[in-house]
Amino acid sequence: MGRRPQAVPRWRVRLPAMAVVAGVLVTGSACQPGSGAGHDDDRPPGAVRWRSVPQARLPGGFLGFEPRQVLATTDEFIVSGTSEQAGVRLYGSKGGVSWYRADPGEGFPGYAAAHGKQLVLAGQVSNGGALVPAVWRTRDARRWKDAEVLPGGVASDEVLAVSAGPRGAVVVAHDGGPFSEGEDGSSGYRGESLRLWTARDGGPFGQPRQIPCPASPEYEPQVAAVADAEGFVVTANCTNGSGYIKRLVVASADGGKWRAGPAAFRRQSTMAGVSGARGSVLVTRTESSGANPGVFASTLWSRRSGESAWARGRPLDVGEIPDSGVAPRDQQSINAVSAVSGGFFAAGRSLDLRRGPVGALWASPDGRRWTKQATRSNGFDSVFDLYGAAEVHGRFILLGDGQDAKGGARLWLGRYGTRPPAQSSSGIAPFARTWSWGHGSLTIGKTGGFTYRWRLFRDCDTEPAPCDTATVWGGRATGTLKTVGNGTLRGRLSTTNAPDDPAYRKGAVIEVKRKPYSAVHVRVDGKDHGYFCAAGAEDSRCTAPHE
């Protein structure tokens, strides 16, 4: 299948803890959460109150998951990002509590966009022995339609953005791919143009429009796209082999004829965009100067529905001391803007002089006035970055990137007026399910009764019981667990079918502790039996060899 496309762009590499915040970190696509919020509320987004979800309650797939996009259709939340195990992954959720895999199951998905009930995913699939650009569409992220190969697509097309709105969808690629650090350009044909495919709402995509934008294979173009009631806006920064940056802003009412876009921000780097019920927002940044290398200042531009001109927003609110992350505007950056029923959120980071980069969130009722939300009291200082918010029926989610050694996504739930209720991690209820790894499982009931099964490496086809079948491990012990502390259960093996095995002797103490990202750690008779995960083999901690 060749390369895995859509790798995390080089400018998304995490900064050192004490580094200056270096401008906008690109999400690569304009997501459209507001267009699918499915909720009519005039309250401003600043009235939303947030509560972080305990790490133990987060899905196992969020461990090692670096968020890229946060969006919503009318009925469900969708998050995409890169995984240590499997490249780009998507997860879906109806309410933000329980999450499921939402990948189409074929090809290499890249970027997603939503409008109303429709979800559009752009990436690459194998066609005739080559990877070519394609889209997937669905109204339910559990059931995707077959991939649609984009007409006129070639193997060097690297998909960089997708956006969807009232007038349809736009997919943006560059035909000079693949792009990566150290790429020498020797892998075959490379073009020098952006390629734009558009489709009317739900209709087929036509042939691509080409716009010259030479780019070195070492520098993936930075692209943002917005699809709104006025049509489409696409922005790009293409860096050639000499380091020259070409900036493009193009717009189209219907995807047929493209013209030069607004001159107001044509000389700036446009980094992210969004459209919703209250208009559209684009984020730009100016280039750093020689006196302040790597330091940028973000500007947010907006236009209301029915307007063609973009208005410069007010400078970002820097926050108030003694809150965490209060810093000059050139030390704050935005990863993504999100449209919700009451306005917009801008999510990113800010530099805290004592702690380094911390998550930062701004809210706006109109895309022009931006108020920074409290950092410390919301726990945003527990992450390096925030990557976007979304809304479904008056419920909100917010995603960040954790600061622990292994890394992983962090999640907040929000609602208007009061914080969502806390999700308790105490008692037996959070343990009541089946936990598994490659060679064992532990099923805990609602009252603490448990069944522990493990592999005996005795095949029932050739060995007497107890033995292993293709679906059930032969080792079996039961008992009852009780709460002994916050996040810990303890009990004894009351029965065992392996009485001669000292590791599973009758009466041995079993201890089960909750761990981050939907896992437990098991000890029997004082010896580690390792991690057991809710996601089973999908979680790298719970595959053989076992931790």
Side-chain angles (χ1 to χ4, degrees):
M1 292 292 289
R3 65 191 170 88
R4 175 179 60 83
Q6 321 305 343
V8 179
R10 60 186 300 172
W11 50 89
R12 282 283 307 276
V13 175
R14 179 176 294 151
L15 298 176
M18 294 306 293
V20 173
V21 178
V24 178
L25 300 180
V26 178
T27 59
S29 174
C31 22
Q32 308 292 319
S35 59
H39 187 74
D40 185 13
D41 201 313
D42 288 333
R43 284 177 287 184
V48 174
R49 297 294 176 260
W50 301 96
R51 184 183 297 277
S52 63
V53 176
Q55 278 186 279
R57 291 294 188 96
L58 296 177
F62 278 18
L63 177 65
F65 180 74
E66 188 171 342
R68 172 183 277 184
Q69 290 180 272
V70 183
L71 60 157
T73 65
T74 301
D75 301 315
E76 61 187 332
F77 296 110
I78 299 293
V79 300
S80 74
T82 56
S83 165
E84 292 177 348
Q85 286 80 42
V88 175
R89 278 190 172 178
L90 280 81
Y91 293 92
S93 174
K94 295 294 184 182
V97 177
S98 299
W99 292 85
Y100 54 85
R101 284 284 299 276
D103 308 286
E106 62 173 330
F108 298 95
Y111 298 102
H115 177 67
K117 291 181 177 292
Q118 186 75 33
L119 184 63
V120 182
L121 181 63
Q124 290 178 310
V125 295
S126 180
N127 185 46
L131 289 175
V132 295
V135 296
W136 297 260
R137 298 192 244 199
T138 188
R139 289 177 175 265
D140 180 350
R142 294 179 188 268
R143 291 182 290 274
W144 289 89
K145 297 179 181 179
D146 291 339
E148 305 168 43
V149 174
L150 292 176
V154 296
S156 64
D157 282 324
E158 183 99 342
V159 174
L160 301 172
V162 60
S163 188
R167 296 199 178 191
V170 57
V171 176
V172 185
H174 194 289
D175 62 4
F179 296 96
S180 66
E181 289 187 73
E183 183 71 43
D184 61 9
S186 63
S187 59
Y189 167 80
R190 289 179 182 271
E192 296 186 336
S193 299
L194 286 180
R195 312 245 287 164
L196 313 178
W197 287 265
T198 56
R200 293 186 181 274
D201 196 15
F205 284 85
Q207 290 289 327
R209 302 286 177 169
Q210 294 199 171
I211 301 174
C213 197
S216 165
E218 287 196 288
Y219 303 101
E220 183 177 291
Q222 303 175 28
V223 172
V226 171
D228 62 14
E230 311 310 311
F232 309 101
V233 177
V234 173
T235 72
N237 306 322
C238 299
T239 305
N240 66 19
S242 301
Y244 171 77
I245 301 175
K246 181 174 183 177
R247 296 179 182 81
L248 288 176
V249 183
V250 294
S252 175
D254 57 7
K257 184 178 180 180
W258 292 85
R259 55 180 171 77
F265 44 78
R266 204 175 294 163
R267 293 187 177 183
Q268 300 191 51
S269 296
T270 308
M271 310 304 293
V274 73
S275 175
R278 298 206 171 197
S280 303
V281 172
L282 276 170
V283 183
T284 68
R285 64 165 171 80
T286 56
E287 291 302 314
S288 60
S289 66
N292 294 290
V295 178
F296 308 90
S298 299
T299 302
L300 291 104
W301 303 76
S302 65
R303 70 176 179 187
R304 298 185 176 94
S305 297
E307 296 178 345
S308 59
W310 293 81
R312 181 191 293 265
R314 296 181 184 178
L316 286 174
D317 176 19
V318 299
E320 295 183 2
I321 294 174
D323 198 8
S324 181
V326 178
R329 294 184 182 94
D330 61 4
Q331 296 179 10
Q332 306 194 25
S333 66
I334 295 173
N335 291 324
V337 284
S338 308
V340 295
S341 57
F344 303 90
F345 284 111
R349 62 160 64 174
S350 181
L351 183 67
D352 185 272
L353 294 180
R354 290 181 297 178
R355 303 190 60 171
V358 297
L361 184 69
W362 293 265
S364 172
D366 55 11
R368 300 183 181 182
R369 297 167 293 147
W370 295 88
T371 302
K372 193 175 185 186
Q373 307 302 285
T375 298
R376 186 178 295 115
S377 62
N378 282 312
F380 300 156
D381 56 347
S382 66
V383 296
F384 285 116
D385 270 308
L386 295 176
Y387 283 101
E391 176 189 10
V392 172
H393 301 303
R395 297 179 178 181
F396 298 81
I397 65 168
L398 175 68
L399 227 64
D401 193 11
Q403 292 189 354
D404 52 32
K406 289 190 175 181
R410 302 289 180 83
L411 178 68
W412 283 259
L413 303 180
R415 67 181 182 183
Y416 285 111
T418 59
R419 299 179 190 271
Q423 297 186 42
S424 173
S425 295
S426 61
I428 292 175
F431 292 84
R433 64 179 305 153
T434 294
W435 309 88
S436 61
W437 75 284
H439 294 163
S441 67
L442 176 65
T443 300
I444 302 175
K446 295 180 179 180
T447 59
F450 72 87
T451 299
Y452 183 10
R453 288 192 173 275
W454 63 94
R455 187 175 184 180
L456 295 174
F457 295 94
R458 293 164 55 90
D459 193 333
C460 287
D461 289 339
T462 58
E463 301 279 350
C467 54
D468 306 316
T469 70
T471 58
V472 179
W473 299 139
R476 185 176 185 274
T478 63
T480 301
L481 294 163
K482 295 183 179 181
T483 303
V484 294
N486 189 25
T488 304
L489 302 181
R490 192 174 295 149
R492 292 183 180 275
L493 304 187
S494 300
T495 69
T496 177
N497 68 351
D500 297 329
D501 188 337
Y504 302 97
R505 64 178 180 82
K506 183 177 180 180
V509 174
I510 179 172
E511 182 179 85
V512 183
K513 289 187 176 183
R514 283 298 299 266
K515 293 295 181 179
Y517 301 101
S518 296
V520 295
H521 187 269
V522 178
R523 291 172 61 87
V524 178
D525 203 25
K527 298 179 177 63
D528 286 343
H529 283 219
Y531 278 82
F532 288 58
C533 301
E538 185 177 324
D539 191 321
S540 62
R541 296 171 295 177
C542 293
T543 57
H546 199 203
E547 287 191 14

